[in-house]
Amino acid sequence: MSATDDGDRRIDRIEGTAIPLRGNNIDTDRIIPARFLKSITFEGLGAHAFEDDRRSMPDHPFANPAYASASILIVNENFGSGSSREHAPQALKRRGIGACVGQSFSEIFLGNATTIGLPCATAAAGDIEFLIAAAERDPEAGMVLNIETLSIARPAARCRSACPPASANRC
């Protein structure tokens, strides 16, 4: 991250390992189940990210200790669809996710995520498949999402990315 002249924090680079999450149209109800929306703060939501999926699918990436410290979430199409649940990006951020990279994002999820400083970058389907497969093969390999150069780099590979219009001025 870097500071801008007006003192605001601007995110220009996120480094870390990736957590791959396969599937299109993953909605906010799956990201954070409704029973966790009763709190008046967002504290503790990270522990409940994908809770129902983790319970019903023992092989879910968020249940896999190999991805426990991952900071970049790699997803497919229309991630964050469904309700306008602002708790969903809060749960991801509080779980330690610093950025999302996907084929596309729900417009409301995208707005909520970038408002709280959770950048969402898009990449072509083939690049997303490459990144997901690479993270599945080697969960410990680092990745860098560079907002300024619109690139995603892994050891021995680089992909192009983009910030969707709703997030371009917040990345």
Side-chain angles (χ1 to χ4, degrees):
M1 291 185 25
S2 66
T4 60
D5 292 340
D6 62 4
D8 288 338
R9 300 291 291 171
R10 188 173 71 93
I11 301 167
D12 57 13
R13 179 183 174 100
I14 298 90
E15 294 183 48
T17 58
I19 181 168
L21 184 59
R22 291 184 181 275
N24 296 328
N25 304 308
I26 294 176
D27 64 35
T28 57
D29 296 332
R30 288 180 59 195
I31 297 169
I32 186 74
R35 66 186 173 279
F36 300 109
L37 305 182
K38 298 173 185 168
S39 173
I40 58 171
T41 71
F42 297 117
E43 296 301 317
L45 285 182
H48 302 293
F50 291 100
E51 183 157 316
D52 291 346
D53 282 8
R54 288 185 284 129
R55 286 184 179 185
S56 65
M57 297 179 264
D59 60 341
H60 192 278
F62 276 74
N64 187 334
Y67 300 113
S69 63
S71 58
I72 301 173
L73 176 61
I74 310 296
V75 297
N76 293 114
E77 289 183 43
N78 198 29
F79 184 77
S81 61
S83 68
S84 59
R85 195 170 284 184
E86 65 182 324
H87 292 68
Q90 286 282 355
L92 294 174
K93 188 165 183 171
R94 291 167 189 276
R95 160 50 173 75
I97 300 299
C100 299
V101 178
Q103 288 172 254
S104 63
F105 298 91
S106 157
E107 188 174 337
I108 295 172
F109 175 87
L110 177 64
N112 287 337
T114 56
T115 295
I116 65 165
L118 181 64
C120 296
T122 59
D127 291 336
I128 293 297
E129 178 54 35
F130 170 80
L131 293 170
I132 286 175
E136 289 170 341
R137 269 192 318 277
D138 187 2
E140 295 180 18
M143 176 182 286
V144 177
L145 170 61
N146 189 318
I147 303 295
E148 291 184 348
T149 63
L150 296 176
S151 64
I152 306 157
R154 282 193 54 95
R158 181 175 297 272
C159 303
R160 299 291 305 156
S161 69
C163 278
S167 66
N169 61 350
R170 296 184 189 123
C171 288

